[in-house]
Structures are given as C-alpha cells and as structure tokens.
Amino acid sequence: MKTHDPVDIVTIGGGMTASILAARILPDTSHRMVSIEQGPAQWTYPDFAHNHDTLRFSNRYAMMQDLSKVSWTWRPNNTAASLPMRQYGSFHPGQGIGGAMVHWTAVLWRFKDSDFNYRTHHEERYGADRIPEEMTVQDWPINYADLEPFYDDFEYDIGASGRAGNLNGRILPGGNPFENPRSRTYPNPPLEYTAFGELFGEASESIGLHPFPTPSGILSRGYTDPYGHTRAGCLYCGFCTRHGCEVGAKSSPITTWLPPALDTGRYELRTESVVQSIETADDGRATGVTYLDSRGQEHFQPAEIVVCSAFTLENVRNLLLARSDAHPDGIGNDRGQVGRNYSYQVLHTPAQGLWENRKFQLYMGNGCTAPRLHDFYGDDFDHTDLDFIGGGDLSCDAGQREPVGSIPTLLEPFADRQWGAEWKAMLGRSWDGIGTLGFQGESPAYAGNFLDLDPTFKDAWGRPLLRLTFDWRDNERNMVRYISEQAGRIMRAMNPDRMNVDTELGDYRIDEYQSTHPTGGAIMGSNPGNSVTNSYGQVWDTPNVFVTGAALFPQNPGANPTDTAGALAIRTAQAIRDRYFTAPGELLA
C-alpha cells in the first residue's frame, strides 16, 4: 500500500459538493485537499464539443456509473427478495469530475419554510392525526431563513436564470408568487419558452393558476461569475439532460468551482480511483481513506477531515461499510440511524394531448424552457378536505425531445398498438404534435422505506451492495389522483384534438427512470437520537467525518434537490473554514 502525505480534507467523490468545499475553503487559507473520484477527467472542451450523440449519452449512459462494478439492490418491502439493478432505470448517478451535475437538467428550486418545518407545520395546521402512523417525517434542524443567504450565494455562483416572485416580501408579477422571500433577484433573466410551454402557460392562466418561468442553472445570456470566469448563454440545442454542455452554459463544477479550486495549487483530483473504506483509529476518529487506483494499486490518504461527497446512495453505503471495533455497525450508526428516512420522488405523467395539425419544435430547448406551476406544491393549497398531505411541481414538456428515446412510449395513449405500418405513419405525423404534462411530487419518509447492506450481492471488489427497501404508500397514490385531475383541467384548456388523463400511480419500479433525486439515509437532525449528522452534515459519533448532498434531507419535497444541496455545502464550507480548524474534532454548534 502507498501512503500519501496527510492533507486537511479528503473527499470521496469529485462532484458538486466536493468542488464547492474546495472553492470556498482553500483560497486565502493554507489548507490542502484531495478528492478521490471514480470516473475520468472531463471538461467542456474537448470532451463535450459537438456531443449530440443520443445513443452514447441518453441510451448507453456514457456519463453514468458502471453498473457492472457497482449497483444497488431493491425490494418493495422487507419480506420480499432483493435483486440488483443490472441496467439503468430509476436514477442516473454520474461519474467523472463534476459528478451528476455535469449531465443534470438544471432545474433549480429553493425549498420552502413548510418543507423545513414539515412535521410541525402539518400538525399545527391539520392536527397530528393527519400524519400516518408509519410516516417518520421530521423537522429539519434549520429553516429557510437560515439557508437563504447560502441559496443566494449558490445561485450567483452559477449564474441562475429565472424571475423572482417574492423579493424581500414584495410579490413581483410574473414570478413564483408562492416562493419564500429572496434577498436578490436572479442574476440572469429566464430562458425562453418553447411553443408548447407558451400554450401551457396561457391555458393555466385562463383557469386562474399562476405559471412562472422555470428557475434554471443554465445561463440565458453571457455571465461573469464571482470567480471572474465568463461563459456564454444557452444555444437551445436540444441535447442537455444526460449530456455535457458544449458551450458551458449549463453550470456545473467544471464551469464554476473546480477552476478556482485548482488555481490555488492546493487541491488535487485523483481520477479513476475507487474508495474502499473510511479508516478509523482505536478511538473511532477517522484517519483517512483507502482507495484503489486504475491499476489496482492500493493507497491510503490520511486526512484531518473525511467528507462523504459522492452520490446519495454511495454516501450511505460508505458509512455502513466503515465498520471497526469503535463503530461495529458503521460510522454514524452507533444509534442505528444510518439508512433511515430514505425517500425518493413521485414522477407521474398525468395528462397527454395530441394536436393533429400542429408542430411544437420540441426537439429544441432543454428541460427549463417552459413555465411551471406551484399552485399545488407542498401546502400551498388547503388539504383540509383531502385524503393526503403534500404536493409538488406541475409542468409540461419543455423541449429536448430526442427521437430514439421518445419513440417507445410517446404514442401509447393514442395508438392501439406500438408497431406496424399504421403506427409508423402516425408517428411520422404526430411525433412533434404530442405534448404531456408532468408532476414531480413529495416522497414522505416511512419506517418501512430504508437502506441497508445487501446480505447477498457484492460489488466488483467484494463489498456488499446497498439495498433499497422502498415503495409508495396510499398518501402518494391519493396525491397523484388529485393532481392528475388538476392536470386534466389544464390539458382541456389547452384544447388538444385528443387527450388522455392518467390518475393512477403504479407500484414503484426500479427499472423505469423517474428522477436522480433519492434522498435521506444519513439525515441531519437536532440530536444523535433522531439523525446521523448535525445541520452542517457533521456526523454525531465521528465529528471529523462530514456528509454532503441529499442524503442529509429528512424527507424529500416535491422539488429538485440541487439548489438546497449546494446551499448546504456552502454553509458547511464556511463552518469548516472559519470554525472547525480552530478546534478540530469538536461538534459545530
């Protein structure tokens, strides 16, 4: 084994949160940091020049983790057998420097106050009996006001595009009227709408709803970030999600935080290297990480701080695998908290429409070139007489429709069979005349949904895979029925020639893509009895180990996690830089 010189911080993963820590901690200090990244180096140029290759990126998952080496197993409940995910379905974790943010859709939401004080809010408004007995939702240890300055920092770092709806308590026309107050407007105006997005917005307004531009991590115009780097605006090329951006308009670590971090000369990325374990001393304190490089050589990187900054599921697995005499059940798990409150996100297509003689040019744009509705988000609507709690984001097709990926299911609501000459003719006529509405909803935490190590299946290095025990409950099914009815109202106002409304949420399936938004398993909380970490992601039982990203979320709101994960990382970086190193190993208050 090769032992390296000690550094102040070592991170497992070289994605968004690791790069934020490096860019925010290293300048103006003498600290040194290393990130161990399983994937390759990748940069806007030359790696993403002219990368309009649907087969490579969208169908063969060129930027995703190699499932032949590391995967996850799933079962719907704790009485069922688990099996590994052998081909991509439910979620798409990335690999390579920059992580999944390099190929994200770039939808950018702030969570709301009622997302942070979730249990208290619902019990005070509707009574404790409205929360099902199995539902283990809990308040975060911080609130929106605590995180707002860090949301602002994150959005200005990446040059977010959008239109403010609530500026310091003043409701502004055209923005999201339901959002909590923000201290500044977005640094850039919103992206343009597609024709279908315009139709959705007009129809929503006509029935009294409040559409607003999708907040986005894609530049709508040229922008110089706080680190002095200037980037170009979006080309609306149509090759965005699952692709790297050829002009750097889609913000990611490789455009934003890695350049200033590397410029310090005290940050190192070791690519194509896989961390095997977090090592600990006899007293339980982490001493660093052991990893294998691309040639199979074993290395030990000592560090004062170890940060689990990989994909959500791998962060949880790395904690569970870090077993020792001091932590026989893994780091963070001295009180059995690791793996608890695993949640995901409801993704449903409630309404589809077909316009016989109209073309929407949905092959252009990206996932943010259309308006959204938050009239049915969270508790923005009264649930008194409803049979569920929660809500989510209602949207429409925004663009980036790729021929290969869209063909298998596009005509399902409108054709009796998905093959033959008649189907092919209809596909030719209608491929760009079909539009759908989408719903992304809350996934509350339940005692029966959790993560642990699989007793049977192992990765390429002989370590247990992470096992997901997860399925929907009646609360989510009832939520989808109600939201689907609202989506049907909107679709009728859009006046298609033919339409279909689907009100039923089927059982969860790991083989069908939904979103790359799994959360929980290493949640933050107010004390070691209800969580794995404090509000900074600092592990209660091993204070020199930190967790970043969506594994910290106590439950999953109906909104994309990136803005919140980034804001939390900036907050943690500030605390480590300004306070941790003055008293290493002590818990941050």
Side-chain angles (χ1 to χ4, degrees), residues 451-463:
L451 307 172
D452 63 357
L453 294 178
D454 194 284
T456 303
F457 296 98
K458 302 184 185 302
D459 67 14
W461 300 277
R463 302 173 303 167

PDB file of all heavy atoms in Angstrom, residues 451-463:
ATOM      1  N   LEU A 451     -32.580   1.975   3.866  1.00  0.00           N
ATOM      2  CA  LEU A 451     -31.381   1.493   3.186  1.00  0.00           C
ATOM      3  C   LEU A 451     -30.562   0.652   4.154  1.00  0.00           C
ATOM      4  O   LEU A 451     -30.417   1.006   5.326  1.00  0.00           O
ATOM      5  CB  LEU A 451     -30.529   2.663   2.692  1.00  0.00           C
ATOM      6  CG  LEU A 451     -31.216   3.723   1.827  1.00  0.00           C
ATOM      7  CD1 LEU A 451     -30.282   4.896   1.585  1.00  0.00           C
ATOM      8  CD2 LEU A 451     -31.671   3.123   0.503  1.00  0.00           C
ATOM      9  N   ASP A 452     -29.993  -0.459   3.664  1.00  0.00           N
ATOM     10  CA  ASP A 452     -29.032  -1.226   4.446  1.00  0.00           C
ATOM     11  C   ASP A 452     -28.126  -1.984   3.484  1.00  0.00           C
ATOM     12  O   ASP A 452     -28.249  -1.841   2.260  1.00  0.00           O
ATOM     13  CB  ASP A 452     -29.726  -2.158   5.447  1.00  0.00           C
ATOM     14  CG  ASP A 452     -30.596  -3.229   4.789  1.00  0.00           C
ATOM     15  OD1 ASP A 452     -30.715  -3.228   3.536  1.00  0.00           O
ATOM     16  OD2 ASP A 452     -31.164  -4.074   5.512  1.00  0.00           O
ATOM     17  N   LEU A 453     -27.202  -2.761   4.006  1.00  0.00           N
ATOM     18  CA  LEU A 453     -26.295  -3.530   3.164  1.00  0.00           C
ATOM     19  C   LEU A 453     -26.952  -4.838   2.760  1.00  0.00           C
ATOM     20  O   LEU A 453     -27.553  -5.531   3.592  1.00  0.00           O
ATOM     21  CB  LEU A 453     -24.985  -3.803   3.901  1.00  0.00           C
ATOM     22  CG  LEU A 453     -24.126  -2.576   4.217  1.00  0.00           C
ATOM     23  CD1 LEU A 453     -22.887  -2.994   4.998  1.00  0.00           C
ATOM     24  CD2 LEU A 453     -23.731  -1.817   2.958  1.00  0.00           C
ATOM     25  N   ASP A 454     -26.833  -5.178   1.487  1.00  0.00           N
ATOM     26  CA  ASP A 454     -27.439  -6.408   0.999  1.00  0.00           C
ATOM     27  C   ASP A 454     -26.631  -7.615   1.500  1.00  0.00           C
ATOM     28  O   ASP A 454     -25.401  -7.622   1.393  1.00  0.00           O
ATOM     29  CB  ASP A 454     -27.485  -6.407  -0.533  1.00  0.00           C
ATOM     30  CG  ASP A 454     -28.389  -7.487  -1.071  1.00  0.00           C
ATOM     31  OD1 ASP A 454     -27.980  -8.660  -1.068  1.00  0.00           O
ATOM     32  OD2 ASP A 454     -29.515  -7.165  -1.483  1.00  0.00           O
ATOM     33  N   PRO A 455     -27.303  -8.632   2.029  1.00  0.00           N
ATOM     34  CA  PRO A 455     -26.563  -9.780   2.558  1.00  0.00           C
ATOM     35  C   PRO A 455     -26.026 -10.729   1.497  1.00  0.00           C
ATOM     36  O   PRO A 455     -25.236 -11.622   1.814  1.00  0.00           O
ATOM     37  CB  PRO A 455     -27.623 -10.485   3.425  1.00  0.00           C
ATOM     38  CG  PRO A 455     -28.925 -10.136   2.772  1.00  0.00           C
ATOM     39  CD  PRO A 455     -28.757  -8.734   2.251  1.00  0.00           C
ATOM     40  N   THR A 456     -26.436 -10.532   0.238  1.00  0.00           N
ATOM     41  CA  THR A 456     -26.088 -11.488  -0.814  1.00  0.00           C
ATOM     42  C   THR A 456     -25.195 -10.893  -1.897  1.00  0.00           C
ATOM     43  O   THR A 456     -24.154 -11.465  -2.247  1.00  0.00           O
ATOM     44  CB  THR A 456     -27.374 -12.042  -1.465  1.00  0.00           C
ATOM     45  OG1 THR A 456     -28.197 -12.633  -0.459  1.00  0.00           O
ATOM     46  CG2 THR A 456     -27.044 -13.072  -2.537  1.00  0.00           C
ATOM     47  N   PHE A 457     -25.572  -9.750  -2.445  1.00  0.00           N
ATOM     48  CA  PHE A 457     -24.916  -9.234  -3.638  1.00  0.00           C
ATOM     49  C   PHE A 457     -23.765  -8.296  -3.274  1.00  0.00           C
ATOM     50  O   PHE A 457     -23.885  -7.486  -2.352  1.00  0.00           O
ATOM     51  CB  PHE A 457     -25.929  -8.510  -4.530  1.00  0.00           C
ATOM     52  CG  PHE A 457     -26.989  -9.423  -5.069  1.00  0.00           C
ATOM     53  CD1 PHE A 457     -28.231  -9.512  -4.468  1.00  0.00           C
ATOM     54  CD2 PHE A 457     -26.723 -10.223  -6.179  1.00  0.00           C
ATOM     55  CE1 PHE A 457     -29.207 -10.363  -4.960  1.00  0.00           C
ATOM     56  CE2 PHE A 457     -27.692 -11.078  -6.675  1.00  0.00           C
ATOM     57  CZ  PHE A 457     -28.936 -11.152  -6.066  1.00  0.00           C
ATOM     58  N   LYS A 458     -22.675  -8.410  -4.051  1.00  0.00           N
ATOM     59  CA  LYS A 458     -21.473  -7.628  -3.774  1.00  0.00           C
ATOM     60  C   LYS A 458     -21.004  -6.902  -5.031  1.00  0.00           C
ATOM     61  O   LYS A 458     -21.383  -7.254  -6.152  1.00  0.00           O
ATOM     62  CB  LYS A 458     -20.356  -8.535  -3.238  1.00  0.00           C
ATOM     63  CG  LYS A 458     -20.743  -9.293  -1.965  1.00  0.00           C
ATOM     64  CD  LYS A 458     -19.598 -10.099  -1.414  1.00  0.00           C
ATOM     65  CE  LYS A 458     -20.041 -10.938  -0.216  1.00  0.00           C
ATOM     66  NZ  LYS A 458     -20.602 -10.105   0.863  1.00  0.00           N
ATOM     67  N   ASP A 459     -20.158  -5.895  -4.844  1.00  0.00           N
ATOM     68  CA  ASP A 459     -19.625  -5.149  -5.980  1.00  0.00           C
ATOM     69  C   ASP A 459     -18.388  -5.844  -6.534  1.00  0.00           C
ATOM     70  O   ASP A 459     -18.017  -6.952  -6.101  1.00  0.00           O
ATOM     71  CB  ASP A 459     -19.353  -3.687  -5.593  1.00  0.00           C
ATOM     72  CG  ASP A 459     -18.222  -3.530  -4.578  1.00  0.00           C
ATOM     73  OD1 ASP A 459     -17.450  -4.485  -4.340  1.00  0.00           O
ATOM     74  OD2 ASP A 459     -18.096  -2.418  -4.010  1.00  0.00           O
ATOM     75  N   ALA A 460     -17.740  -5.211  -7.500  1.00  0.00           N
ATOM     76  CA  ALA A 460     -16.590  -5.820  -8.172  1.00  0.00           C
ATOM     77  C   ALA A 460     -15.415  -6.049  -7.239  1.00  0.00           C
ATOM     78  O   ALA A 460     -14.502  -6.815  -7.567  1.00  0.00           O
ATOM     79  CB  ALA A 460     -16.163  -4.940  -9.347  1.00  0.00           C
ATOM     80  N   TRP A 461     -15.414  -5.415  -6.079  1.00  0.00           N
ATOM     81  CA  TRP A 461     -14.308  -5.545  -5.124  1.00  0.00           C
ATOM     82  C   TRP A 461     -14.705  -6.373  -3.904  1.00  0.00           C
ATOM     83  O   TRP A 461     -13.992  -6.394  -2.898  1.00  0.00           O
ATOM     84  CB  TRP A 461     -13.824  -4.154  -4.702  1.00  0.00           C
ATOM     85  CG  TRP A 461     -13.340  -3.378  -5.883  1.00  0.00           C
ATOM     86  CD1 TRP A 461     -12.106  -3.438  -6.470  1.00  0.00           C
ATOM     87  CD2 TRP A 461     -14.097  -2.450  -6.669  1.00  0.00           C
ATOM     88  NE1 TRP A 461     -12.046  -2.613  -7.566  1.00  0.00           N
ATOM     89  CE2 TRP A 461     -13.260  -1.993  -7.715  1.00  0.00           C
ATOM     90  CE3 TRP A 461     -15.408  -1.966  -6.601  1.00  0.00           C
ATOM     91  CZ2 TRP A 461     -13.687  -1.059  -8.660  1.00  0.00           C
ATOM     92  CZ3 TRP A 461     -15.837  -1.054  -7.557  1.00  0.00           C
ATOM     93  CH2 TRP A 461     -14.984  -0.610  -8.565  1.00  0.00           C
ATOM     94  N   GLY A 462     -15.869  -7.025  -3.970  1.00  0.00           N
ATOM     95  CA  GLY A 462     -16.274  -7.916  -2.908  1.00  0.00           C
ATOM     96  C   GLY A 462     -16.974  -7.261  -1.738  1.00  0.00           C
ATOM     97  O   GLY A 462     -17.198  -7.899  -0.700  1.00  0.00           O
ATOM     98  N   ARG A 463     -17.376  -6.002  -1.883  1.00  0.00           N
ATOM     99  CA  ARG A 463     -18.068  -5.307  -0.796  1.00  0.00           C
ATOM    100  C   ARG A 463     -19.580  -5.394  -1.005  1.00  0.00           C
ATOM    101  O   ARG A 463     -20.061  -5.349  -2.136  1.00  0.00           O
ATOM    102  CB  ARG A 463     -17.642  -3.838  -0.750  1.00  0.00           C
ATOM    103  CG  ARG A 463     -16.147  -3.625  -0.571  1.00  0.00           C
ATOM    104  CD  ARG A 463     -15.787  -2.158  -0.706  1.00  0.00           C
ATOM    105  NE  ARG A 463     -16.207  -1.608  -1.989  1.00  0.00           N
ATOM    106  CZ  ARG A 463     -16.244  -0.309  -2.280  1.00  0.00           C
ATOM    107  NH1 ARG A 463     -15.901   0.572  -1.356  1.00  0.00           N
ATOM    108  NH2 ARG A 463     -16.618   0.096  -3.472  1.00  0.00           N
TER     109      ARG A 463
END
